[in-house]
Amino acid sequence: MEAEAERVTYEYESRALLKLQQAGRVFQSLEREIDRWNEDHQLLAPMRSPHDGPSRLEVFRPQELDELPAAAWEATFHDGVHNLRVALDTLCFELCHIEGHPQEPGKIHFPVTAHPNEWPERTKHLSTIPAPLLERIRQVQGWARRDDGEPDPLTLIARADNDDKHRATGVLLDVLAMFQWAVRESHPLPPELANTRDWPLELWMDLRVTPPPERGQASLMPVLAWPFVVFQGLFANIADAQRWLYHETDRIISFLASGEWSNAGFERVLPGPVWSPWQPSVHGEGADVPADGCSDPR
C-alpha cells in the first residue's frame, strides 16, 4: 500500500484578496452609476411595427442617448477587470516567494495560456512555485477546464485588461434597450412622427418580436439604456458579466488555496443563461424578443 503523500500547509495573509474585494466595489459602483443615469433620464424610444413585416419591431435611438457616459462606464468596467488581473498576478507573486526568491521577480505574472503547448514557455519564470501549486495554476487554464459554453474567465480578464492598456480589440461594450412596457406605459407619437412614414431618426434596434405586434403599431416606448459585454461571439448584460467575472476569479483563487472547486452559484440580474450568442444584426435585423417585458434578446 502506498503511503499517503504528506500534505503541506502554507499560511499567510494575501494581498490578492484585497484586490479582489476592490474589484467588487468598482463593479458595484458601476451598476449604481448606470441605475442613477437611467433614473435621471426617462428614455422614450420611438418604435413601430413596419407594414412590410408582421414580426418586425423597429426601435429608434432617443436623443437622450447622446448624453450617455459610455466612455466613463467603459473605463470603470476596465478598472474593475484590472483589479481582478492584479489579484491573480499578486497571488502568483506571493506563491513564488513561499519557499524561495525568484531570480527575476519583475517577470512574475499569472499565466493565461490559450493552448497546452504554451504552458512550458509561459511558466519558466515560475520555477520557485511549489510544484503542487503550479499544477493547480495549470488546471485553471481555459483549455484544462470543462467547457460549459461560457467564455474562459481568464482569457476575458487578460483580453479586457490588455484592451484597457493598448486599445486592442476583443472586448466590446455596447448599449441595448431594455424595454419597460410591462412596468411603464407607452406614449403616443408626437405629430412630426405620427404624420409621416419616413422618420428622420437613427435606427437603434430592428427586432423580430414574438408574438408579432399589429402591423403599423407605433408609439414612444419606455426603455432603459443598459450596457452589454460582448466577447468571442457571446454577450451578457454588464451586471451579470461583472458578477460572473468576480465569482469565477474568487473560485480560481479558492481552488489554488484549497485544491477544491467551489460549487457556489452567484446571483443573476436576469433569469436564464448569462452568456448568449451575440447577433450584431440586432442593430439591423436581429434577435427574437418576447413581447412580454424585457428586451434582453436571449
Side-chain angles (χ1 to χ4, degrees), residues 175-201:
V175 180
L176 298 181
M178 301 283 286
F179 300 162
Q180 290 192 291
W181 50 36
V183 293
R184 292 172 54 205
E185 293 184 359
S186 297
H187 292 231
L189 292 176
E192 62 269 22
L193 295 181
N195 298 330
T196 180
R197 295 186 62 176
D198 297 323
W199 289 4
L201 302 174

Side-chain angles (χ1 to χ4, degrees), residues 226-289:
W226 198 257
F228 284 72
V229 177
V230 185
F231 184 66
Q232 293 183 338
L234 301 172
F235 81 103
N237 75 72
I238 198 166
D240 281 341
Q242 291 185 150
R243 297 178 193 191
W244 175 83
L245 279 172
Y246 180 93
H247 173 76
E248 287 299 307
T249 305
D250 185 37
R251 290 182 70 223
I252 288 172
I253 292 175
S254 297
F255 173 76
L256 296 179
S258 67
E260 298 180 358
W261 283 104
S262 168
N263 293 322
F266 71 96
E267 180 183 357
R268 289 168 169 78
V269 174
L270 295 174
V274 177
W275 294 94
S276 299
W278 171 250
Q279 298 182 356
S281 58
V282 74
H283 295 285
E285 290 186 1
D288 288 318
V289 177

Side-chain angles (χ1 to χ4, degrees), residues 15-76:
R15 293 182 63 251
L17 297 180
L18 298 178
K19 300 304 294 186
L20 178 66
Q21 293 168 1
Q22 178 61 19
R25 287 191 287 268
V26 172
F27 287 155
Q28 289 177 347
S29 72
L30 178 54
E31 291 185 37
R32 289 194 293 267
E33 288 178 26
I34 296 169
D35 283 338
R36 283 195 296 267
W37 192 90
N38 277 289
E39 288 175 0
D40 294 339
H41 299 78
Q42 296 296 317
L43 300 182
L44 293 172
M47 73 89 180
R48 66 184 178 187
S49 177
H51 291 276
D52 60 352
S55 297
R56 288 180 58 205
L57 186 66
E58 293 180 330
V59 184
F60 296 82
R61 289 177 61 89
Q63 292 183 349
E64 292 83 357
L65 276 184
D66 294 338
E67 305 174 24
L68 187 144
W73 290 355
E74 181 185 19
T76 304

Side-chain angles (χ1 to χ4, degrees), residues 74-88:
E74 181 185 19
T76 304
F77 170 72
H78 281 102
D79 186 27
V81 173
H82 177 68
N83 277 279
L84 295 180
R85 176 73 205 194
V86 173
L88 294 168

Side-chain angles (χ1 to χ4, degrees), residues 75-250:
T76 304
F77 170 72
H78 281 102
D79 186 27
V81 173
H82 177 68
N83 277 279
L84 295 180
R85 176 73 205 194
V86 173
L88 294 168
D89 289 343
T90 299
L91 180 61
C92 198
F93 186 87
E94 294 169 346
L95 296 181
C96 282
H97 288 77
I98 286 180
E99 295 182 345
H101 297 281
Q103 294 182 352
E104 298 180 284
K107 292 185 177 182
I108 294 174
H109 61 273
F110 192 96
V112 179
T113 56
H115 192 277
N117 291 344
E118 300 177 2
W119 183 250
E121 180 66 25
R122 297 288 297 277
T123 55
K124 286 182 177 179
H125 59 290
L126 305 180
S127 59
T128 56
I129 293 182
L133 297 181
L134 185 59
E135 169 60 19
R136 292 180 189 175
I137 295 178
R138 188 193 70 81
Q139 292 178 28
V140 304
Q141 301 298 305
W143 44 265
R145 296 180 62 179
R146 177 177 60 85
D147 183 8
D148 54 8
E150 295 180 336
D152 171 43
L154 290 179
T155 302
L156 199 160
I157 290 170
R159 188 76 60 82
D161 188 53
N162 188 65
D163 180 51
D164 189 36
K165 291 184 290 187
H166 306 296
R167 306 308 307 167
T169 59
V171 177
L172 170 68
L173 201 67
D174 206 343
V175 180
L176 298 181
M178 301 283 286
F179 300 162
Q180 290 192 291
W181 50 36
V183 293
R184 292 172 54 205
E185 293 184 359
S186 297
H187 292 231
L189 292 176
E192 62 269 22
L193 295 181
N195 298 330
T196 180
R197 295 186 62 176
D198 297 323
W199 289 4
L201 302 174
E202 179 184 354
L203 186 64
W204 190 12
M205 302 174 66
D206 190 345
L207 308 172
R208 291 185 301 271
V209 179
T210 305
E214 181 181 352
R215 293 190 185 190
Q217 176 182 340
S219 66
L220 295 178
M221 179 190 303
V223 298
L224 298 175
W226 198 257
F228 284 72
V229 177
V230 185
F231 184 66
Q232 293 183 338
L234 301 172
F235 81 103
N237 75 72
I238 198 166
D240 281 341
Q242 291 185 150
R243 297 178 193 191
W244 175 83
L245 279 172
Y246 180 93
H247 173 76
E248 287 299 307
T249 305
D250 185 37

